[in-house]
Amino acid sequence: MVTMEPIFTDSSAHPERLSGQLHTGRVRLVSDRQSDASFLIHHFLSFYLRARCKVWFLGLVQSFNHYSAVSQRLGVSLAQAKEKGQLVFLEGLKESLSVLIPQDTNTGSKAMDFLRDPAVGLKSLYEFVRSSVSSSGSRAEGAEEWGPLVLLVDDLSVLLSLGVSVGAVLDFSHYCRATVCSELQGNVVMLARCDGEEEEGDGDDEGSETLLKGLTHQCSLTLHVQGLPTGFCRDIHGQVEVCWRRRQGDGQSTQKKLFQYKVHDKGASFFAPGTSSAVL
Amino acid sequence: MLTELLQGTDAGGFLIIQDSASYSGRHLLKSFINAALHREEAVHVLGFEVSEEELKDGLIGASIHRLHFHNAYTDPLGWTHNPAFTVHQFCSEGVTQLVKQTSQSKPATLVIDSLSWILRHVGPPAVCKTLQQLRKGGAVRAIIGLLHADMHQRGTVGSVCHMATSVITVAPGMKGDEALAKITKRSKSGKVMQDEEIFSFKEDFTVVVQNRPSQLGLKQTETEERETDPTANLTFNLRLSDTEREAKEKLALPFVFSKEKKTALLHSGRGSGRILYEPDANDDYDQEDPDDDLDV
């Protein structure tokens, strides 16, 4: 549950505001630098499930039980959603076992095949996403009608650690965008993480910085999570910089907004800088 | 200079719009497309990065039929079975064929969105070769390309921009809807002109150029505060009357070596103390010969 402090009255500024109007065809990039933005992924997951959207979750870093436990706290049951067919979950860790420990009775999908040879790229992962997403779109009668499709990816940077090149990850995200946003009129939310300080200049070509820049060019909204520049604070856990890259239909002139956030037991709250309840 | 470029690149011209993650140059690219359409030119777009709806969004008008979008967005790498246009088809023959299929006899303006996509998959030498062949080929009148400068190494960006006749680098401006454009234009005579302009967009993608950044910027208007008078509002008097001020200015300070003192010392007057000195034998003490008996 996302709570907004009452001081914050600009309704269009925060994408998580439950305005009841779900934009489609948007790509949102959640990124962090030396911080942990996974709370936003949990938030988006519960937000879209509560909004009765069809959610397709590509979970590469944590097990299903982890997300399930967190979502329980946020008031959403992932197991139930999965049963009803609202949530389709690719558990990357489990699937990768079939690649890493090959067995004869293996009938696993080809999704994680890139682990065998990362240089090949992520075409098989994309094909898995595509077939699953398209087939679930044309569900038989009698099934519940769900809202627009949402693809959540957690996270893309781990693919770099697994040996996949930056170009391959960017191609994968491009294809996901082309399929989910343009063809199926859905939304995409991706998480990408960065470890070091922002570097200028040539630096290393293959790295999380280049991936982040490439993904930023592809998306319409970025949410960049960082720690506070002044250091650790008990009441404010960090700041989120929201940046709109495409011009909005209503001609919004502001392109960047900075919020501070605090992660609670049951969600996160966002507020304008300096208006934390601990301060006022 | 931005307005001149928008009014029409010369034949054989190659314009590059360089942008970065902090500011997208696609909007300016759309302005160029819009301007070309208004000039009744046929515009062919090789769209890799955005879909047709997204690119055409906002470009209204009767001349939209002159815009031919070649879909390289849905399947640029040939991962599905029937791709429309793949990145590997980006060669001068492929592009020329594509343009000639749908265009009339007049050479068209080719817009590439984006060059970065192509450079990621096809190496810079091949891209430069294709661009050069297209310019000389004759099927294409002018080329406009979008390049994400922060996605490539500086050498790659430099090589591609070297081929361009004009390069516009866009960056976010100081105010919300303004942007800064750094323009480099190479004319046929070899003269290079550079300029910096601040611009913004109107609803119909026309560009409004504001005044130059040197006129704006940090206006350091230091308002000189009038010094408060320290001698006011006191219980005692710190002010000087005119006579007192005169006497103060006349006063010679004790340790200042003025001209009068100098002459007084040099030419000591009569009656002042004189010092007479007669050398005494005891005063002549040689450290190295205390008894004065060495025959040196």
Side-chain angles (χ1 to χ4, degrees):
Chain A
M1 180 100 77
V2 173
T3 55
M4 304 295 288
E5 305 278 356
I7 300 112
F8 193 64
T9 52
D10 189 350
S11 62
S12 58
H14 206 282
E16 280 85 345
R17 171 96 359 161
L18 298 166
S19 58
Q21 183 199 19
L22 285 169
H23 297 290
T24 55
R26 300 280 171 94
V27 182
R28 295 201 181 99
L29 174 70
V30 177
S31 58
D32 64 31
R33 174 169 278 116
Q34 295 179 327
S35 183
D36 191 1
S38 45
F39 73 94
L40 280 173
I41 289 289
H42 293 299
H43 158 72
F44 274 115
L45 178 59
S46 55
F47 169 73
Y48 282 117
L49 282 174
R50 252 199 293 270
R52 298 185 55 82
C53 290
K54 184 82 190 278
V55 177
W56 215 97
F57 196 99
L58 188 60
L60 298 170
V61 279
Q62 297 281 8
S63 66
F64 176 74
N65 290 333
H66 169 87
Y67 295 106
S68 192
V70 178
S71 298
Q72 202 81 32
R73 285 287 180 89
L74 299 176
V76 171
S77 166
L78 289 195
Q80 232 176 40
K82 210 166 152 188
E83 258 173 71
K84 284 193 286 185
Q86 189 189 8
L87 171 68
V88 179
F89 199 97
L90 168 71
E91 204 171 338
L93 293 171
K94 211 163 93 175
E95 295 284 336
S96 56
L97 274 179
S98 63
V99 175
L100 298 169
I101 307 172
Q103 287 161 354
D104 290 331
T105 54
N106 220 331
T107 50
S109 62
K110 292 190 153 205
M112 305 297 283
D113 269 7
F114 64 89
L115 286 173
R116 280 203 193 96
D117 185 10
V120 163
L122 296 169
K123 185 176 168 192
S124 50
L125 183 64
Y126 163 70
E127 275 167 359
F128 176 75
V129 170
R130 191 204 166 80
S131 60
S132 170
V133 152
S134 315
S135 68
S136 61
S138 55
R139 185 59 63 175
E141 318 81 34
E144 273 189 69
E145 274 293 314
W146 302 112
L149 174 75
V150 178
L151 172 68
L152 287 166
V153 183
D154 179 18
D155 66 56
L156 287 174
S157 311
V158 78
L159 294 168
L160 290 182
S161 323
L162 292 170
V164 183
S165 68
V166 174
V169 180
L170 288 173
D171 292 338
F172 171 72
S173 71
H174 174 96
Y175 269 88
C176 286
R177 193 175 128 227
T179 307
V180 176
C181 292
S182 308
E183 207 181 302
L184 299 169
Q185 296 299 307
N187 286 320
V188 177
V189 179
M190 301 183 286
L191 173 62
R193 313 190 64 181
C194 240
D195 273 333
E197 296 290 323
E198 206 166 330
E199 282 166 29
E200 293 287 343
D202 292 343
D204 56 81
D205 210 23
E206 304 292 300
S208 44
E209 289 293 337
T210 318
L211 177 64
L212 198 61
K213 288 197 177 117
L215 291 171
T216 309
H217 279 290
Q218 287 181 0
C219 64
S220 51
L221 181 77
T222 62
L223 295 146
H224 190 61
V225 175
Q226 274 181 302
L228 289 176
T230 43
F232 172 76
C233 172
R234 198 182 49 196
D235 297 303
I236 304 170
H237 293 155
Q239 63 186 31
V240 181
E241 193 181 23
V242 184
C243 185
W244 286 266
R245 293 199 77 248
R246 309 241 189 276
R247 263 170 89 94
Q248 310 271 59
D250 51 357
Q252 206 167 26
S253 59
T254 47
Q255 290 183 327
K256 276 191 182 176
K257 271 216 165 123
L258 190 70
F259 300 99
Q260 290 176 343
Y261 70 89
K262 180 172 181 183
V263 180
H264 302 295
D265 199 32
K266 296 201 182 286
S269 59
F270 299 86
F271 38 87
T275 59
S276 159
S277 56
V279 168
L280 297 174
Chain B
M1 209 194 283
L2 190 58
T3 345
E4 283 164 29
L5 286 172
L6 276 163
Q7 274 156 10
T9 46
D10 317 304
F14 178 27
L15 171 76
I16 288 186
I17 299 175
Q18 257 192 44
D19 69 356
S20 62
S22 52
Y23 187 81
S24 173
R26 190 160 289 109
H27 221 76
L28 186 62
L29 185 73
K30 279 179 159 179
S31 297
F32 274 92
I33 296 176
N34 207 31
L37 288 173
H38 282 307
R39 282 197 305 274
E40 315 222 332
E41 285 171 18
V43 178
H44 287 257
V45 179
L46 287 183
F48 288 93
E49 279 200 2
V50 292
S51 63
E52 188 168 353
E53 301 90 50
E54 204 177 323
L55 191 77
K56 283 187 173 168
D57 180 35
L59 293 175
I60 47 168
S63 42
I64 197 81
H65 68 275
R66 275 193 283 272
L67 174 65
H68 306 278
F69 185 86
H70 301 287
N71 185 13
Y73 168 74
T74 20
D75 190 11
L77 298 172
W79 283 2
T80 62
H81 293 298
N82 48 344
F85 186 82
T86 67
V87 76
H88 301 290
Q89 282 175 274
F90 182 74
C91 56
S92 87
E93 299 86 24
V95 176
T96 312
Q97 199 180 23
L98 208 61
V99 169
K100 283 204 168 130
Q101 265 171 12
T102 41
S103 194
Q104 305 103 346
S105 51
K106 243 189 340 182
T109 302
L110 178 68
V111 174
I112 304 176
D113 177 16
S114 67
L115 281 167
S116 290
W117 229 102
I118 308 175
L119 281 167
R120 268 204 302 119
H121 294 276
V122 179
V127 172
C128 290
K129 181 175 156 197
T130 305
L131 289 168
Q132 185 69 358
Q133 283 171 342
L134 283 170
R135 285 177 66 192
K136 297 266 156 74
V140 162
R141 183 182 160 271
I143 307 178
I144 306 175
L146 181 64
L147 183 68
H148 304 307
D150 52 359
M151 290 287 299
H152 312 280
Q153 292 190 325
R154 236 173 259 165
T156 310
V157 174
S159 321
V160 178
C161 288
H162 195 74
M163 300 190 53
T165 50
S166 324
V167 178
I168 306 177
T169 307
V170 288
M174 302 225 216
K175 289 191 215 155
D177 51 357
E178 284 178 353
L180 177 69
K182 289 191 191 153
I183 308 157
T184 305
K185 188 173 169 187
R186 286 192 199 94
S187 62
K188 285 203 181 106
S189 57
K191 183 176 164 195
V192 178
M193 290 174 286
Q194 290 188 324
D195 200 7
E196 260 187 42
E197 284 172 355
I198 293 192
F199 67 97
S200 58
F201 294 101
K202 290 213 295 236
E203 281 300 318
D204 57 352
F205 287 99
T206 46
V207 171
V208 174
V209 176
Q210 323 276 9
N211 40 0
R212 279 121 202 275
S214 53
Q215 286 176 2
L216 300 175
L218 309 160
K219 274 189 198 155
Q220 283 162 339
T221 50
E222 285 171 34
T223 52
E224 289 174 15
E225 286 173 30
R226 217 163 281 163
E227 283 182 25
T228 49
D229 188 12
T231 57
N233 302 324
L234 292 170
T235 53
F236 45 90
N237 182 26
L238 277 181
R239 292 199 180 95
L240 295 171
S241 68
D242 290 330
T243 43
E244 287 168 339
R245 189 167 288 126
E246 267 179 47
K248 177 187 163 194
E249 275 156 21
K250 271 195 193 151
L251 182 68
L253 293 172
F255 296 104
V256 169
F257 193 64
S258 66
K259 214 171 175 185
E260 293 86 5
K261 278 209 178 142
K262 189 175 169 185
T263 46
L265 283 170
L266 286 174
H267 313 289
S268 48
R270 254 187 295 167
S272 63
R274 283 166 65 192
I275 299 168
L276 302 164
Y277 172 69
E278 283 160 17
D280 190 26
N282 293 334
D283 289 331
D284 192 14
Y285 181 73
D286 187 3
Q287 191 87 15
E288 288 165 12
D289 186 14
D291 300 323
D292 202 27
D293 56 356
L294 290 175
D295 188 16
V296 180

